[in-house]
Amino acid sequence: MSDHPTPSARARELVAGAYDTHIHVAPDVMRRRIDDVSLAGRFAEVGLAGFVLKSHYVPTAERAEVVRNAVPGVDVLGALTLNGSVGGLNPVAVEIAGRQGARIVWLPTVDCANQRECQACEPEGATPPMWAQLQADLAEQGIMAPAIDVVDSDGAIVPALREVLSVIAKHDMVLATGHLSGDEITTVVDAAADLGVRRIVVTHPEFTSQRLSVQVQRHLAERGALMERCFTTPYTGKVSWDTLFDHIRRVGPEHSLLSSDLGQPFNPPVEDGLALLADRLLEAGFTEDEVHVMAVTNTRRVAAAPSAVTA
């Protein structure tokens, strides 16, 4: 029997037509709560439009196409994360992903220099990310990829990243900032905007290895970036709910994007994530219109889907 909360009918209705742009499901290199085909069926049942398959280690565009064909009516989208397993800041991998229809390119997460060097401690009682054990296993075997730098000693983006950003812009894919530091994110977002990248998402700015200030978030929002507010970050104790709500209010709901970051076996069902987050926001005093913008309008913008039709 699950101890997880259940979304309200009001929240379910409010997030109908949304995309969950950040999930982790099977098949994967670690245990997951559900597989992608089964999840697509559940999304259809609860009225969600689709989801983006995120893996820290492998491209997912081919997989997404298979799931779309297996479950018509649910828009499953592929992605690429530029960690060592795909060659890091590899413009060839990005070009191939773009030709396959991948929607999001995450900059390095588990292999970025910031994540490797991050000394931020998890708050007491927080649940550690599942990839941490896999990274430890790779290190024990002596085959962990070298840390990936995105900026040089002068604080400018490295040439390989400039090539990557150009390819993202050419294919009109979404740039997500991964686990970079605040200073790196600012440099990268400025460069991406200047290079013509039209859709930028700042990956969970409240996460332990990001911890972006409101001032930094406001600057990024001015450059057109959306701040990703992940359900799991407060749910697993990495940040307080009050801090998340405060950031949304001070940066502006119109600059925020809701996602779940779910799929771990010990967390709630993936299809419940957006609605559970909506319930928490409503309880905190956000309006239905504000929640709808964050959950539906902005996720559909990232997915490059037509605006949702409301009754």
Side-chain angles (χ1 to χ4, degrees):
M1 183 174 177
S2 172
D3 293 328
H4 299 304
T6 301
S8 69
R10 178 190 182 195
R12 286 276 195 217
E13 183 177 356
L14 196 54
V15 302
Y19 283 73
D20 192 338
T21 59
H22 187 157
I23 66 163
H24 299 275
V25 296
D28 200 355
V29 290
M30 56 199 83
R31 192 164 63 92
R32 295 304 186 189
R33 184 183 180 99
I34 192 171
D35 68 88
D36 46 19
V37 174
S38 299
L39 181 63
R42 292 192 181 183
F43 265 52
E45 291 171 4
V46 299
L48 293 169
F51 52 85
V52 178
L53 290 166
K54 183 178 182 183
S55 168
H56 289 293
Y57 299 99
V58 298
T60 63
E62 287 186 352
R63 199 172 126 200
E65 184 173 354
V66 171
V67 180
R68 286 197 304 273
N69 289 332
V71 188
V74 178
D75 193 16
V76 180
L77 302 170
L80 176 70
T81 307
L82 297 178
N83 286 317
S85 56
V86 299
L89 299 176
N90 181 357
V92 176
V94 179
E95 174 68 23
I96 297 304
R99 294 187 183 206
Q100 291 181 313
R103 181 89 291 264
I104 297 180
V105 177
W106 272 274
L107 293 182
T109 57
V110 300
D111 289 331
C112 75
N114 177 61
Q115 185 62 61
R116 295 285 182 84
E117 297 168 2
C118 181
Q119 299 301 312
C121 295
E122 299 281 0
E124 185 177 353
T127 306
M130 292 185 70
W131 48 260
Q133 183 58 55
L134 177 54
Q135 290 294 101
D137 292 344
L138 294 175
E140 187 175 347
Q141 295 178 59
I143 58 173
M144 181 179 279
I148 300 168
D149 289 305
V150 297
V151 298
D152 60 24
S153 57
D154 295 324
I157 63 169
V158 298
L161 179 54
R162 182 170 294 275
E163 291 183 60
V164 162
L165 295 177
S166 295
V167 177
I168 291 172
K170 180 180 73 171
H171 289 286
D172 197 21
M173 292 187 285
V174 178
L175 169 70
T177 56
H179 291 195
L180 307 185
S181 70
D183 288 345
E184 290 172 331
I185 291 170
T186 299
T187 299
V188 168
V189 168
D190 285 342
D194 292 342
L195 287 167
V197 177
R198 298 198 307 129
R199 296 179 178 90
I200 303 172
V201 173
V202 176
T203 309
H204 44 47
E206 288 79 28
F207 196 74
T208 48
S209 53
Q210 278 67 68
R211 296 286 198 233
L212 301 188
S213 69
V214 168
Q215 181 180 5
V216 169
Q217 291 185 41
R218 284 174 171 167
H219 167 77
L220 298 170
E222 288 172 359
R223 295 308 311 260
L226 289 168
M227 307 300 114
E228 180 191 37
R229 314 300 183 179
C230 290
F231 171 77
T232 58
T233 308
Y235 187 78
T236 58
K238 294 177 178 64
V239 70
S240 72
W241 285 102
D242 285 344
T243 296
L244 184 77
F245 300 149
D246 178 64
H247 286 186
I248 294 173
R249 287 191 177 99
R250 293 169 65 192
V251 178
E254 69 275 17
H255 300 301
S256 290
L257 168 89
L258 304 188
S259 71
S260 76
D261 198 6
L262 283 171
Q264 306 80 12
F266 46 81
N267 276 334
V270 181
E271 68 274 15
D272 289 353
L274 292 180
L276 288 172
L277 186 47
D279 271 328
R280 296 301 295 253
L281 289 161
L282 292 169
E283 290 168 8
F286 289 89
T287 68
E288 290 191 354
D289 284 345
E290 288 172 333
V291 174
H292 186 270
V293 165
M294 293 186 279
V296 182
T297 304
N298 287 345
T299 64
R300 294 183 70 87
R301 170 183 159 196
V302 167
S307 298
V309 177
T310 57

